[in-house]
Every structure is written in structure tokens, then in C-alpha cells.
Amino acid sequence: MSTKVAVVTGSNKGIGLAIVRALCKEFQGDVYITARDVGRGQEAVKSLNSEELKPMFHQLDINDLNSITTAAAFFKDKYGGVDVLVNNAGIAFKVADTAPFDVQAEVTLKTNVFATRDMLTHFMPIIKAGGRVVNVSSFVGSRTLNQCSAALQQRLRSDDITEEELMGLMQQFVDLTKKNEHKQGGWPEAAYGVSKTGLTTLSMILARRLSRERPNDGILLNACCPGWVRTDMAGSKASKSPDEGAMTPVYLALLPPGATEPHGKFVSEKEVQPW
Ligand code: NDP
């Protein structure tokens, strides 16, 4: 049987690195740290080597389509596809950041929504039967959904929203922020929040598509919240360690063979949450 492989984006530090640490201990196969910066990625490999763990490394900048397609081709060629994909890479502006809101909206959605969607576009076709896909979203996305207009909430919660419609709505939010008309458009003042609303909705859309198009492949795809975790993103006052934050993403990445759920859900503390 061919070697299994797990790939974690943005895993040179923070929650991503902790996910790799746990997978190195619990996943039967090769585990890849991926990072946009080769130096930071190799440092991360060394840090886990010093814990007697043996992750591998591949460069992957999710904002660079060429980097995505190169990585996808590498995993297809070397492993015949990917068994576990954790889309963890993400960004957030600090609360104190003075960048204009429209810039924060454009930059945040670029990585958290559009680049993550590019990852999914190029990696979903190579996810192997029995595979697990985990998108690291946030509770902030659920809270932000509740702050959207009733019409937007209806679309974002509907079972028939398409990937194209969702991407159109995400782009509409970015465009409206440039004219400072996002509030009239039904959106709250929350760039990171809208990005995570989008990522959770995208996860549900793609899970429904998997069920339709690959019903016998047993692939499970979910979005999750890691909790409030002490990382460069959330700061030192957060309540969880990175290893604690990794628990729910790792639980979803290692759902046992033959499991049929959760699938297409938003999961926190290993529990399916309302959407
Ligand atoms: P960190 O800022 O510590 O780590 C983010 C990681 O993503 C880094 O490795 C960073 O790489 C990487 N990254 C950013 N952009 C790209 C890119 N274009 N391509 C590849 N990698 C990229 O954040 P956390 O560990 O806290 O966050 C991880 C995920 O968890 C994010 O999606 C975040 O939104 C989510 N989350 C975090 C929470 C928390 O409390 N910390 C709460 C809820 C969700 P680099 O070092 O090169 O910048």
C-alpha cells in the first residue's frame, strides 16, 4: 500500500505547527510542514526534529498560484494524492493596525478566502478516497454571519448557494468597502469575520459537492474553530496553548476510516456547532 501523506498549510508556527506536531505522533504516514518562506519552514522542521519528530517540508505560499500547482503536482506524483489536507494558513490585522478598512478587507479576504479557495480548487481533485479535509475557520465567522443582513444570512445559510455565488458575495464585500458602502450592502465592519464566514460557507458548499460527485469515496470535509490560542495572531493573553488549539483540527483530520460524519459542518471543541 502506498505511503499516506498529510499536508498542513501555514505550519511553520502557531496552530499549524502544533497540528503537524500532533499528526507526527498520531498519523500513520508522512506529515508535511508547508510554509511560504523556505527558511522559516526549515527552522520549524528543525524545532520538531529536536522533539524526536520527523516532519517533511514543501514550500507552499497559498497566495501564489504557481506555488499551489507545483505543490499539488509534487504530492500527486510522489504519493498519488493527499490523504489529509489542513488549510490552516490565515492572516488577521491587529486591532491597533491603522491600515484603512478597505485595505484590511481586500488583504484579509485575499488570503483567508480567495487563496484558500485556490488551494481547494487544486487539491480537492487529488484528495484520495477516505481523505480528510479540514479548513481552520473561526467562531468569529459565525458571530459575523449573525451580524449580516437577513438577506445575506439567508443566502449564506442556504443549501443551494454555489461556490460562484459565494465568491461573488465575498468580492462584493471587498468592492463595497472601497466605497464605504458595505454597511448599506448588509455587511458588518469586520474584515476577518467576513473572511471566516466565507471560509465556513465554502466548506459547506464543497462538502455538499463531494457528497454529490464522489459519493463512494468516503471523504470528510469540515470547517472548525481551534479556540482562542496563544500565537502571534491572537497574542499571549489567549486561553489555549497551540497544542490545545490543534486538538479539534487534528480530531477532524483523523476521523477514523469508515466514519460518515461530521461532514460539511462547523466544529468546535470536537462538537458540531449551529450555523
Ligand atoms: P499565526 O499568525 O501564528 O500563523 C499563521 C500561519 O499562516 C503562519 O505560518 C503564516 O506564515 C501562515 N501564512 C499566512 N499567509 C500565508 C500564505 N499566503 N501562504 C502560506 N502560509 C501563510 O496564526 P495562528 O496559528 O493563530 O492561526 C492559524 C489559523 O487559525 C488561522 O487560519 C487563523 O485565522 C485561525 N484561528 C486562530 C485563532 C487564534 O486564537 N490564534 C482563533 C481562530 C482561528 P508566515 O510565518 O510566513 O507569516
Side-chain angles (χ1 to χ4, degrees):
M1 221 166 71
S2 64
T3 307
K4 291 193 169 191
V5 64
V7 179
V8 184
T9 67
S11 49
N12 53 289
K13 66 177 185 179
I15 297 165
L17 181 63
I19 293 170
V20 170
R21 177 184 290 114
L23 289 177
C24 281
K25 295 174 186 168
E26 297 174 47
F27 177 74
Q28 302 297 316
D30 291 348
V31 183
Y32 276 77
I33 288 182
T34 68
R36 53 181 160 182
D37 181 90
V38 172
R40 287 198 286 276
Q42 286 171 345
E43 279 305 308
V45 170
K46 269 196 228 159
S47 78
L48 291 189
N49 285 161
S50 70
E51 301 173 25
E52 308 297 322
L53 300 173
K54 305 244 174 313
M56 302 172 79
F57 174 72
H58 200 283
Q59 194 274 346
L60 180 49
D61 179 349
I62 69 165
N63 283 349
D64 175 354
L65 207 47
N66 188 43
S67 174
I68 291 178
T69 55
T70 301
F74 167 81
F75 290 112
K76 171 87 179 141
D77 185 50
K78 181 160 181 186
Y79 297 94
V82 168
D83 297 281
V84 169
L85 172 66
V86 183
N87 284 304
N88 163 81
I91 61 160
F93 282 79
K94 301 281 180 224
V95 176
D97 199 296
T98 54
F101 183 66
D102 65 315
V103 172
Q104 298 202 16
E106 179 159 28
V107 172
T108 307
L109 268 74
K110 166 78 190 130
T111 296
N112 296 2
V113 176
F114 297 113
T116 304
R117 188 241 190 165
D118 287 339
M119 270 299 297
L120 288 157
T121 300
H122 291 278
F123 274 73
M124 287 308 293
I126 64 164
I127 299 296
K128 294 190 221 164
R132 305 287 180 250
V133 180
V134 184
N135 295 329
V136 182
S137 189
S138 172
F139 249 129
V140 177
S142 310
R143 194 175 68 210
T144 302
L145 174 66
N146 290 320
Q147 293 165 351
C148 290
S149 67
L152 279 172
Q153 287 190 43
Q154 191 278 328
R155 288 316 299 145
L156 293 164
R157 288 198 175 100
S158 74
D159 282 347
D160 63 359
I161 184 171
T162 63
E163 191 176 351
E164 290 67 32
E165 181 182 354
L166 174 64
M167 291 304 125
L169 288 173
M170 293 287 112
Q171 190 58 50
Q172 179 203 72
F173 169 71
V174 172
D175 293 344
L176 287 174
T177 63
K178 294 192 192 310
K179 299 184 274 184
N180 198 22
E181 288 176 3
H182 48 286
K183 285 188 184 149
Q184 291 98 302
W187 298 100
E189 184 94 353
Y192 179 78
V194 169
S195 79
K196 293 300 190 180
T197 306
L199 180 57
T200 302
T201 306
L202 178 62
S203 308
M204 293 172 174
I205 292 169
L206 295 181
R208 283 193 289 268
R209 183 184 302 163
L210 272 175
S211 302
R212 257 194 335 269
E213 296 180 359
R214 297 179 66 182
N216 301 319
D217 280 355
I219 300 169
L220 300 177
L221 183 155
N222 291 286
C224 69
C225 181
W228 190 33
V229 184
R230 292 186 293 278
T231 63
D232 287 348
M233 181 183 288
S236 57
K237 295 200 176 79
S239 51
K240 286 186 180 181
S241 69
D243 290 333
E244 289 166 340
M247 283 177 181
T248 291
V250 169
Y251 155 74
L252 292 171
L254 297 179
L255 287 168
T260 54
E261 55 186 22
H263 177 55
K265 302 290 191 240
F266 176 67
V267 179
S268 167
E269 306 298 339
K270 303 187 187 177
E271 299 280 348
V272 172
Q273 304 297 319
W275 179 247

